């Protein structure tokens, strides 16, 4: 039964809920002049949350509320990076919001609620908690996408996101209900992932269980944005305000990995031989569709959307290895992707101004002449996304490929590497536009004078290089979380 | 400090590129002088290798090793043998010359150009001394980044096509090597190249690994039929880019063969040696003919590079044939030695040829042979150097080009006179395409009025020419120091060829 200890275990989450409510109230009572201060307050709120997560790190896995919530190493790492990348997004977002006069208060509050959703999701110990966290994240994201509600494209994106997201949630819920039925247990404990694992061996309805599993994988595939459940990704990425896109690219991918890990390993680990191949198929489809369709994109956000799909393919490569090694590699990949994605969108945000979205690839023409530092940061992000050593993205790819080979799926690794070559082209194309082309007539392309944005963005992009040169500790940390 | 000489050699140019970059486009001269300072410092540091490395002992020396990635047991480990020392010295030497060569030529963002060159140099040195396969791979791939930028920003009209082709082509090859390395890692539990060399592998596994390595290195060398990126990249690259590409970067391919194919998959290497030998002969004969009909000077030299690199691969794999089928270690050593000398020699000769073409291009903005003619009348000093390098390219005795080719032909004669016959064809074809080019460019009357306006080379260009000429003649007339430097290492490599690992 809930007691004080349970609350302590959930302290970072409770703290964030309280902080979000305070922010909401503050927003209501602040004058328009005071409102920009919410920016710094929310960043501090997130930093304090990171501190609480780190400071309260339990020595071993702790559960709360009867196993509904699990606090372990995996959750901690995902939370730290989700909070960290979200804080970065907030830093990058400020000039964008101010220039476009978007509702500031709502943005920060919704962002924090979305992060709470992520934190619940990655710590879920129970099917209900999974659903709860997922919906909190999704609903906040739908609203965030529609933040600029008067424009056509964002509204369209939000509706698409909502309709498809609701469908996916329904699938997930349907799958969960089947699994619950197949487990043959009554009452809420039956929804616990750990218990599910135990009863799996004795189920009298293996077919029902398998059906449930398939529906759950559809839900996971949707959240990850893996093909063939990727339809929403390009429209949402393109239509959403760029800071929101950055958040969806970073935070929600970490969440999706956490959710996949909780459901598949903690809950359905015994069916690994079943879902391994399903994930492999999703991985191949994502790699193919993501990389091939990205080649023809002219809109940078849309290209990055397809690139996300392909990156989720690589992440699935690690997941489908279905072992601690593979999970560690996939988590490493998710963290890596979050940092790369935020950096790439960060450069776009640094270059935008009112009336200039900087979202076409052609908009970056001659960036190296106009603003060499921004071009260099984007170069780092692009080479990292492409997986060229010595940048971070390369090592993440190596890890998932190794995991796939280790699991005896050499063919999958070869498919992965072949699509890495194809994917190289569109990243190189961006670099080509920035470095080899002359700037268009009258193009301004100046980075925002905002110091915090410049500093954080530089650190963000340089971290891709630094982590590429020395990624041992992070890998060790990820492996430690999975007991290696 | 000298325990970290190799690290110093890698990181000095890479870190040194940062202040060069920071000098910015407003202070081009600061950037140039800084870059020269770094390049000279690196060269001086590399001379210490000659002091520290003991050629008679052989084996890997100056070892440095630090745990890099604990979870995988990957080490940041460096070491050199005689072959690496020779290649590193060549890289640092050429490193200075490309900086000097680009001095006034590169007016657009010189700081970025110089910084990219320095980074490229540092990474190339890293490739030549890495003894951990994963570290090697990372450096091997990382060299693509500065080269991509160099060709793309400062290249010719079709630079975008050329640089994308170059990057994707070479990347395509090396990813298969990555898969092979990951496979070997699963077998051996380490990326340490010495341990991988001792790892027993079945013939089937060796065959797969062999082809994965082969595709990576064959593209880099480049061997026929995967050489098609090279003419494009060379033609479009700026002069300095071409020089580094031909002089140093192609050697990465053959060096990789020595470090990976020879020790790790010797049985498959021996089994498929005929394939490489045939491809090398095709490169020597057929590509020689292709070079003959080129109308663009850079393309001509690029194709002649492919033909000359054919000698390097021929020398390496003829050694397999000699050791494994005839047990003739002495001749195998000669062939291998010849391949190594050819590697170094080709570095200087092709570098010099591309510099010469760059000098002419700066004046006339054309690389077409037909636009020239009678250049010697207006540029006698330049003509002297040009003809000297052309002779070296044709393999004239007394120049460096002769030594390596002669040793390889001699070794292949012992293996099979037919191979030697085809290899010796190069003496005819090489002379034909080079001398014909000299005839059309240098001799004769001035037909193009613009040629009459060409100015004689200035002091800076003369310095570069003299430096190249000194290296070409030194190796040609007195190759003994170079041979001695690599001799023990070559013997050790040849001994490894005989080991059966199945």
């Amino acid at each position: 039964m809930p007691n004080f200890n349970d609350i302590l275990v959930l302290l970072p989450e409770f703290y964030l809920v309280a902080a979000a409510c305070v922010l909401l109230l503050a927003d209501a009572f602040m004058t328009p002049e005071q409102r920009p201060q919410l920016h710094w307050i929310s960043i501090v709120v997130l930093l304090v949350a990171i501190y609480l997560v780190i400071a309260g790190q339990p020595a071993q896995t702790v559960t709360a509320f009867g196993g509904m919530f699990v606090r372990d190493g995996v959750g901690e790492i995902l939370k730290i990076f989700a909070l960290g990348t979200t804080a970065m997004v907030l830093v990058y977002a400020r000039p964008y919001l101010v220039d476009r006069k978007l509702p500031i208060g709502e943005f920060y509050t919704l962002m924090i609620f979305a992060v709470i959703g992520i934190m619940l999701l990655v710590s879920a110990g129970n099917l209900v908690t999974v659903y709860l966290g997922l919906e909190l994240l999704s609903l906040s994201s739908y609203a965030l996408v529609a933040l600029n509600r008067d424009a056509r494209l964002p509204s369209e994106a939000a509706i698409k996101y909502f309709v498809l997201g609701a469908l996916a949630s329904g699938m997930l819920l349907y799958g969960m209900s089947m699994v619950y039925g197949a487990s043959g247990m009554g009452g809420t404990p039956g929804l616990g992932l750990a218990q599910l694992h135990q009863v799996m061996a004795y189920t009298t309805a293996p077919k029902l269980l398998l059906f449930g599993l398939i529906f759950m994988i559809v839900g996971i595939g949707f959240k990850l944005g893996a093909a063939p459940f990727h339809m929403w990704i390009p429209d949402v990425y393109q239509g959403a305000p760029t800071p929101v896109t950055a958040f969806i690219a970073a935070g929600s991918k970490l969440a999706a990995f956490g959710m996949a890990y909780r459901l598949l390993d903690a809950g359905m680990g015994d069916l690994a031989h079943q879902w391994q191949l399903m994930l492999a198929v999703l991985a191949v489809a994502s790699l193919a569709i993501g990389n091939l369709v990205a080649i023809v994109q002219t809109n940078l956000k849309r290209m990055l959307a397809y690139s996300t799909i392909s990156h989720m393919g690589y992440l699935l490569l690690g997941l489908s290895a279905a072992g601690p090694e593979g999970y560690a590699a996939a988590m490493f990949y998710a963290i890596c992707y979050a940092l790369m994605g935020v950096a790439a969108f960060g450069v776009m945000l640094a270059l935008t101004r009112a009336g200039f979205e900087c979202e076409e690839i052609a908009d970056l023409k001659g960036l190296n002449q106009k603003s060499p530092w921004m071009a260099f940061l984007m170069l780092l992000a692009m080479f990292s996304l492409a997986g060229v050593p010595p940048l971070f993205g390369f090592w993440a790819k190596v890890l998932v490929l190794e995991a796939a080979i280790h699991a005896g799926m050499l063919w999958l690794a070869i498919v992965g590497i072949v699509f890495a070559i194809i994917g190289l082209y569109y990243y190189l194309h961006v670099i080509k536009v920035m470095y080899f082309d002359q700037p268009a007539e009258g193009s301004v392309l100046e980075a925002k004078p905002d110091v915090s944005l410049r500093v954080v963005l530089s650190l963000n992009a340089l971290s891709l290089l630094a982590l590429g040169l020395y990624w041992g500790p992070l890998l060790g940390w990820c492996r430690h979380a999975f007991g290696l | 400090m000298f325990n970290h000489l190799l690290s110093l050699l890698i990181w000095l140019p890479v870190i040194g590129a940062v202040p060069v970059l920071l000098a910015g486009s407003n202070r081009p001269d600061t950037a140039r002088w800084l870059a020269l300072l770094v390049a000279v410092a690196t060269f001086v540091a590399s001379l210490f290798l000659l002091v520290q490395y003991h050629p008679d002992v052989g084996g890997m020396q100056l070892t440095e090793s630090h745990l890099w990635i604990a979870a995988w047991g990957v080490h940041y480990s460096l070491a050199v043998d005689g072959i690496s020392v020779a290649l590193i010295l060549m890289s640092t030497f050429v490193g200075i010359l490309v900086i000097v060569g680009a001095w006034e030529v590169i007016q657009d963002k010189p700081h970025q150009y110089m910084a990219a060159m320095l980074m490229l140099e540092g990474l190339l040195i890293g490739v030549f001394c890495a003894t951990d396969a994963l570290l090697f791979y990372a450096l091997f791939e990382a060299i693509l980044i500065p080269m991509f930028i160099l060709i793309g920003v400062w290249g010719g009209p079709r630079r975008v096509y050329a640089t994308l082709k170059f990057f994707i082509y070479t990347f395509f090859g090396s990813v298969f090597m990555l898969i092979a390395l990951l496979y070997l890692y699963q077998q051996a539990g380490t990326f340490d190249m010495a341990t991988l060399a001792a790892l027993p592998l079945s013939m089937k596994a060796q065959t797969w690994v062999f082809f994965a390595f082969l595709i990576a290195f064959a593209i880099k060398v480049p061997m026929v039929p995967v050489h098609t990126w090279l003419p494009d990249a060379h033609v479009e690259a700026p002069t300095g880019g071409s020089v580094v590409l031909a002089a140093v970067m192609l050697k990465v391919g053959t060096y990789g063969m020595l470090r990976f194919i020879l020790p790790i998959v010797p049985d498959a290497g021996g089994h498929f040696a005929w394939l490489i030998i045939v491809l090398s002969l095709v490169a020597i004969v057929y590509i020689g003919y292709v070079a003959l009909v080129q109308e663009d000077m850079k393309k001509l030299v690029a194709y002649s590079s492919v033909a000359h690199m054919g000698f390097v691969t021929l020398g390496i794999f003829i050694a397999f044939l000699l050791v494994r089928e005839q047990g003739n270690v002495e001749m195998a050593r000669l062939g291998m030695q010849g391949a190594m000398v050819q590697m170094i020699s080709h570095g200087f000769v092709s570098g010099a040829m591309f510099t010469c073409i760059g000098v002419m291009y700066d004046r006339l903005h054309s690389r077409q042979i037909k636009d020239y003619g009678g250049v010697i009348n207006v540029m006698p000093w330049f003509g002297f150097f040009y003809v000297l390098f052309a002779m070296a390219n044709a393999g004239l005795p007394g120049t460096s080009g002769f030594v390596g080719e002669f040793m390889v032909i001699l070794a292949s004669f012992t293996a099979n006179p037919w191979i030697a016959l085809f290899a010796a064809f190069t003496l005819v074809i090489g002379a034909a395409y080079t001398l014909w080019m000299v005839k059309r460019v240098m001799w004769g009357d001035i037909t193009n009025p613009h040629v009459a306006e060409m100015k004689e080379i200035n002091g800076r260009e003369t310095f570069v020419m003299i430096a190249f000429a000194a290296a070409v003649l030194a190796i040609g007339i007195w190759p003994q120091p170079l041979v001695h430097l690599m001799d023990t290492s070559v013997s050790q490599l040849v001994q490894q060829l005989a080991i059966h690992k199945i």
Side-chain angles (χ1 to χ4, degrees):
Chain A
M1 285 304 102
N3 57 29
F4 186 66
N5 274 338
D6 285 351
I7 291 170
L8 264 187
V9 172
L10 264 84
L11 186 63
E13 285 80 4
F14 279 122
Y15 153 77
L16 270 183
V17 172
C21 295
V22 171
L23 278 179
L24 204 55
L25 270 179
D27 178 47
F29 287 103
M30 271 177 167
T31 60
E33 290 76 42
Q34 291 168 322
R35 217 160 266 158
Q37 287 168 6
L38 282 173
H39 174 71
W40 296 111
I41 298 172
S42 1
I43 290 172
V44 171
V45 162
L46 289 178
L47 294 180
V48 171
I50 295 181
Y51 170 77
L52 287 177
V53 171
I54 296 175
Q57 203 169 4
Q60 65 242 24
T61 306
V62 183
T63 58
F65 297 106
M68 287 186 81
F69 188 90
V70 184
R71 193 164 177 184
D72 60 0
V74 179
E76 305 292 283
I77 294 176
L78 289 172
K79 279 178 208 171
I80 290 168
F81 280 95
L83 287 164
T85 49
T86 308
M88 287 183 208
V89 170
L90 293 190
V91 172
Y92 303 159
R94 186 172 73 144
Y96 186 95
L97 298 174
V98 174
D99 284 351
R100 285 163 188 72
K101 303 190 173 54
L102 291 175
I104 294 178
E106 282 88 332
F107 176 77
Y108 291 116
T109 327
L110 284 169
M111 277 294 220
I112 291 177
F113 274 120
V115 173
I116 299 167
I118 295 177
M119 293 170 79
L120 281 178
L121 190 50
V122 300
S123 279
N126 182 302
L127 290 176
V128 171
T129 327
V130 170
Y131 190 73
L132 212 63
L134 180 67
E135 284 306 288
L136 185 53
L137 168 61
S138 301
L139 289 171
S140 313
S141 306
Y142 303 148
L144 277 168
V145 171
L147 200 63
N148 188 2
R149 59 171 184 254
D150 298 328
R152 195 187 61 85
L153 214 54
S155 316
E156 183 191 325
I159 297 281
K160 275 183 183 158
Y161 193 15
F162 178 69
V163 171
L164 288 173
L167 194 66
S169 294
M171 295 269 195
L172 184 71
L173 212 51
Y174 191 43
M176 283 177 177
S177 67
M178 282 194 225
V179 170
Y180 176 55
S183 78
M185 286 173 75
T188 26
L191 297 165
L193 294 167
Q195 287 89 336
L196 206 56
H197 209 172
Q198 287 161 14
V199 301
M200 199 126 288
Y202 311 110
T203 179
T204 49
K207 284 221 175 81
L208 187 61
L209 197 63
L210 201 56
F211 257 82
L213 174 68
I214 291 170
F215 279 101
M216 276 161 67
I217 283 183
V218 172
I220 293 169
F222 178 85
K223 255 349 259 184
L224 280 170
F229 312 109
H230 65 284
M231 301 302 182
W232 60 279
I233 294 244
D235 289 324
V236 170
Y237 269 50
Q238 189 183 1
T242 312
V244 178
T245 314
F247 171 75
I248 293 175
S252 80
K253 296 301 171 223
L254 289 166
F257 166 76
M259 167 172 135
Y261 167 68
R262 294 287 177 211
L263 284 177
L264 293 178
D265 186 65
M268 319 284 278
D270 284 352
L271 289 179
H273 58 284
Q274 300 279 6
W275 53 256
Q276 224 175 350
L277 198 63
M278 296 186 209
L279 293 191
V281 171
L282 291 188
V284 173
S286 309
L287 287 169
I289 290 178
N291 279 315
L292 293 176
V293 184
I295 292 175
V296 295
Q297 300 306 320
T298 54
N299 180 296
L300 186 56
K301 280 162 91 177
R302 211 171 170 86
M303 187 210 93
L304 285 171
Y306 282 102
S307 123
T308 304
I309 297 169
S310 79
H311 282 285
M312 290 309 115
Y314 288 108
L315 195 149
L316 284 168
L317 230 60
L319 268 179
S320 65
E325 303 256 354
Y327 300 142
M331 184 154 84
F332 191 85
Y333 204 97
I335 292 168
C336 173
Y337 179 73
L339 287 175
M340 299 189 294
V342 171
F345 286 110
V347 176
M348 288 168 68
L349 283 169
L351 296 171
T352 56
R353 14 170 237 283
F356 175 64
E357 284 293 328
C358 189
E359 59 171 35
E360 296 297 320
I361 295 176
D363 287 344
L364 293 174
K365 264 189 182 171
L367 182 61
N368 183 37
Q369 308 200 357
K370 296 282 178 181
S371 175
W373 183 243
M374 285 297 139
F376 178 67
L377 298 180
M378 193 64 153
L379 172 115
L380 289 178
M382 285 298 137
F383 273 127
S384 187
L385 284 163
V388 178
L391 291 150
F392 194 23
F394 166 72
W395 301 108
K397 278 207 175 72
V398 171
L399 285 170
V400 292
L401 291 173
E402 201 270 344
I405 297 176
H406 196 78
M409 293 187 289
L410 184 63
W411 64 274
L412 196 57
I414 292 176
V415 171
I417 207 109
V418 166
F419 280 107
I421 305 165
I422 295 171
L424 187 62
Y425 174 76
Y426 53 89
Y427 300 118
L428 289 182
H429 182 71
V430 174
I431 295 168
K432 176 233 152 197
V433 167
M434 293 191 303
Y435 276 81
F436 309 162
D437 288 355
Q438 294 301 317
E441 286 280 314
S443 101
V444 179
L445 280 183
E446 262 178 23
K448 292 259 182 265
D450 191 319
V451 179
S452 61
L453 184 152
R454 286 179 166 215
V455 171
V456 175
L457 181 58
S458 303
L459 289 177
N460 181 190
L462 289 176
S463 76
L464 299 176
L465 185 60
L467 283 167
L469 295 177
Y470 197 59
W471 45 283
L474 181 62
L475 176 63
W477 200 23
C478 288
R479 288 169 64 95
H480 182 73
F482 289 100
L484 285 168
Chain B
M1 171 187 148
F2 290 107
N3 299 330
H4 300 292
L5 182 58
L6 294 176
S7 280
L8 179 77
L9 280 173
I10 298 174
W11 292 103
L12 185 64
V14 172
I15 308 270
V18 175
V20 175
L21 207 55
L22 291 180
S25 47
N26 299 328
R27 284 169 291 173
D29 276 325
T30 318
R32 289 184 181 116
W33 283 107
L34 266 174
L36 184 62
L37 183 73
V38 174
V40 171
T42 314
F43 178 65
V44 171
S46 71
L47 289 179
F48 280 95
L49 281 176
L50 290 175
V51 183
Q52 306 249 314
Y53 176 78
H54 302 293
D56 298 320
V57 181
M60 297 311 256
Q61 297 180 20
L62 298 171
T63 311
E64 251 179 71
S65 188
H66 308 281
L67 191 61
W68 182 26
I69 306 303
W72 276 21
V74 180
H75 284 73
Y76 168 82
S77 56
L78 309 170
V80 285
D81 66 357
I83 299 164
S84 318
V85 171
L87 287 166
I88 291 172
L89 282 171
M90 185 180 75
S91 315
T92 55
F93 183 77
V94 171
I96 298 179
L97 298 184
V98 289
I99 301 277
V100 177
W103 205 261
E104 294 140 19
V105 179
I106 301 294
Q107 289 293 342
D108 177 31
K109 299 185 284 284
H111 62 298
Q112 291 189 355
Y113 180 89
M114 300 288 177
M117 273 295 177
L118 289 174
M119 278 187 194
L120 188 58
E121 184 186 341
L123 295 171
L124 282 164
I125 294 171
V127 169
F128 292 135
C129 51
T131 54
D132 186 283
L134 202 61
L135 180 66
F136 177 93
Y137 184 83
L139 291 162
F140 182 77
E141 289 279 87
I143 50 179
L144 298 179
I145 298 178
M147 201 65 198
F148 176 72
I149 301 289
L150 277 171
I151 301 179
V153 177
W154 294 276
R158 288 172 72 234
R159 59 186 198 278
V160 172
Y161 167 78
T163 198
L164 281 173
K165 185 171 177 181
F166 156 75
F167 199 116
I168 295 175
Y169 214 128
T170 39
F171 191 84
F172 165 79
S174 36
V175 293
F176 292 103
M177 178 182 167
L178 180 63
I179 295 280
L181 289 180
L182 290 175
Y183 171 79
L184 290 171
Y185 169 69
Q186 310 237 306
Q187 306 294 315
T190 175
F191 283 106
D192 178 48
M193 276 148 73
T195 318
L196 293 183
L199 177 76
L201 283 173
S202 70
M203 191 61 193
K204 191 178 165 221
Q206 281 201 35
T207 307
W208 283 105
V209 173
F210 171 80
F211 280 104
F213 284 157
L214 182 66
I215 191 162
F217 297 128
I219 287 177
K220 210 60 157 218
V221 172
M223 290 169 64
V224 177
V226 286
H227 64 284
T228 51
W229 62 270
L230 184 77
D232 283 311
H234 265 314
V235 168
E236 300 305 326
T239 303
S242 288
V243 172
V244 173
L245 189 62
V248 191
M249 220 155 135
L250 302 189
K251 310 304 175 291
V252 171
T254 41
Y255 179 81
M257 287 181 177
L258 297 179
R259 288 281 177 264
F260 286 89
I261 294 183
L262 255 54
I264 296 175
V265 288
D267 298 296
H271 193 254
F272 291 103
W274 61 269
L275 175 70
I276 313 291
I277 291 171
V278 168
L279 290 178
S280 306
L281 291 176
V282 171
I284 292 168
V285 179
Y286 167 72
I287 297 296
Y289 278 114
V290 173
L292 201 57
V293 298
Q294 296 307 315
E295 295 182 337
D296 182 310
M297 282 190 283
K298 261 192 161 177
K299 242 184 185 157
L300 192 149
V301 179
Y303 278 113
S304 92
S305 282
V306 179
H308 284 129
M309 291 308 283
F311 263 98
V312 182
T313 47
L314 178 64
I316 294 172
F317 282 86
I318 206 83
F320 265 115
L321 218 61
L322 284 163
V323 171
R324 295 209 153 218
E325 289 179 12
Q326 306 183 352
N328 193 342
V329 176
E330 208 43 48
M331 271 296 152
R333 257 183 63 189
L334 186 72
M336 188 73 86
Q337 187 72 265
M340 298 305 111
V341 174
Q342 173 76 354
M343 249 158 83
I344 305 294
S345 150
H346 175 259
F348 291 123
V349 175
S350 64
M353 285 306 287
F354 280 118
T355 310
C356 284
I357 296 168
V359 165
M360 289 196 279
Y361 182 80
D362 294 338
R363 286 164 173 70
L364 211 64
H365 297 286
S366 165
R367 288 180 304 256
Q368 300 301 313
I369 295 175
K370 65 173 167 34
D371 291 340
Y372 292 87
V375 173
I376 194 104
N377 297 316
V378 286
M379 300 172 77
W381 275 110
F382 172 72
F384 166 72
F385 288 114
Y386 188 89
V387 175
L388 171 71
F389 298 135
M391 290 303 165
N393 201 36
L396 188 79
T399 61
S400 64
F402 174 72
V403 184
E405 291 183 8
F406 181 70
M407 289 159 100
V408 173
I409 293 174
L410 213 59
S412 41
F413 193 84
T414 321
N416 186 338
W418 286 103
I419 298 176
L421 178 72
F422 282 108
F425 249 66
T426 189
L427 296 173
V428 182
I429 306 166
Y433 59 72
T434 321
L435 296 182
W436 196 30
M437 177 176 73
V438 171
K439 184 222 152 210
R440 287 179 291 168
V441 172
M442 280 292 148
W443 314 133
D445 298 324
I446 299 175
T447 48
N448 182 347
H450 294 294
V451 171
E453 293 160 16
M454 282 168 80
K455 287 200 182 62
E456 179 61 289
I457 41 174
N458 58 25
R460 177 182 60 79
E461 287 162 339
T462 314
F463 167 75
V464 178
M465 294 289 163
I466 290 178
F468 271 122
V472 168
L473 287 174
I475 299 173
I477 296 169
W478 198 40
Q480 187 52 32
L482 178 64
V483 172
H484 176 67
L485 177 67
M486 301 192 287
D487 197 33
T488 320
S489 305
V490 168
S491 303
Q492 284 163 347
L493 264 181
V494 170
Q495 278 155 20
Q496 282 188 328
L497 295 183
I499 298 169
H500 288 269
K501 285 177 64 171
I502 295 175

